[in-house]
Amino acid sequence: MTMISPNAPTAELQALDAAHHMHPFTTAADLARKGARVITRAEGCWLTDSEGERILDGMAGLWCVNVGYGRRELAQAAARQMEELPYYNTFFQTTHVPAIQLAARIAELAPGDLNTVFFAGSGSEANDTNLRMVRTYWAEKGQPQRDVIIGRWNGYHGSSVGSGSLGGMKGIHAQGGMPIPGIHHIDQPHWYAEGGDMTPEEFGLERARQLETAILEIGPDRVGAFIAEPVQGAGGVIIPPSTYWPEIRRIVDKYGILLIADEVICGFGRTGNWFGSQTMGITPHIMTVAKGLSSGYIPIGASIVCDEVAAVIGATEFNHGYTYSGHPVACAVALENLRILDEEGIVERVRTDTGPYLKERFESLADHPLVGEARIIGMMGSLALTPDKATRAPFAAEAGTVGYICRERCFANNLIMRHVYDRMIISPPLVITRAEIDTLIERARISLDECHARLLDEGLMVAGERG
Ligand SMILES: *Cc1c(COP(=O)(O)O)cnc(C)c1O
């Protein structure tokens, strides 16, 4: 066997990567031409690449490294558990201590009567579980026709067949025969792009009432659940208007449908509370969690369900499970991660100290000529790039062209910011310090300046039609 050395020249690593490794959500041919950036180490909020560059990670990996990189306690928890019991399943009337402890701890943290946990290996898997659980729930209650689940356009719930269907990403739907039957999508509460001349409050109500319209059209006896992220993440960090969630709650209650809050990003401190549902004032029947549950150190996801759903599902055999449901090593790491979040007061700090500081600094970017709005909640925020601040117009260039240019400038300035079309996203590790926040904002501003200069240069500061 010949294996490439980790210290091989970057170009060799890139060539081998291009030859054998198919990347998620990537055009392989383009990446092969450019070469992927090779990340070799990380500590706190900082990544190191194979060229020795230090990069500030404004995205916490993929919204997940809440406690930051390099926490030895997490590595040690994994090593300890691997030595003691590296694997056992929980299918056939067995259990193990890490799954018991983690389920109990999650139940303690989760609001209301969300007291029971079904483990999965990822957010996508957990949402697939939710899809089957909701339909099984209604079937067991003698209402098998209640099989329609309503989601939202531009919502993200994962990219497996089930979770990708619940989500409303058209690019995902276009590949692989999705959405599957029985899923209906309503519009998102994205005021900046779609609110037209309405106030955000009017628009929030209008979008929430689409849920009621959809329920009445489909038939109130046909709809089983509504699924949504408390704050949309992958769709571009869309913070709904204040009127949105109270109205959704009213409608969900009125028609007696289940509410699934997809907390995969919002959960575990991202919005300044343990869960985004608390920040938004909602009490879901089911929550999806993953990402921050283990700070991304190891794959794990879960569905947290309320007592009523747990009782109904629990009365029959639920023919569902993953080999790695409640994987002991993943549970041990997640448990240690939750201990760190709690004992170091990280969620509290986001709510009362670094979160408000980041908000103040991030919102100051709104004065930049390229920025139409800068909105942030806790430690997830986004900038809308625009050629015309007054009208909130999009660019004439194809959506995403400008965002990509801006992202490249950030990358060149050793700051990871992601773009969703022409919105720039941040979601840093929750342990980011004030000094690091200053660095983040400074680099973001330089990158915006460089992007702006290039747009002027190339004649791209041109408004297109508002969608
Ligand atoms: C990332 C994400 C998922 C999917 O999680 P995976 O672990 O990638 O399968 C689901 N929902 C939301 C809100 C997410 O951000």
Side-chain angles (χ1 to χ4, degrees), residues 435-454:
E436 287 165 337
I437 288 170
D438 290 341
T439 305
L440 188 156
I441 299 300
E442 201 175 294
R443 289 184 184 183
R445 191 174 279 279
I446 292 168
S447 305
L448 287 166
D449 285 346
E450 291 174 0
C451 177
H452 189 214
R454 181 158 157 205

Side-chain angles (χ1 to χ4, degrees), residues 122-124 127 156-158 229 262 264-265 291:
S122 68
S124 298
N127 277 323
Y156 187 75
H157 302 300
E229 304 153 80
D262 185 338
V264 172
I265 288 174
K291 296 192 172 117

Side-chain angles (χ1 to χ4, degrees), residues 153-166:
W153 293 117
N154 203 37
Y156 187 75
H157 302 300
S159 81
S160 59
V161 174
S163 64
S165 295
L166 293 170

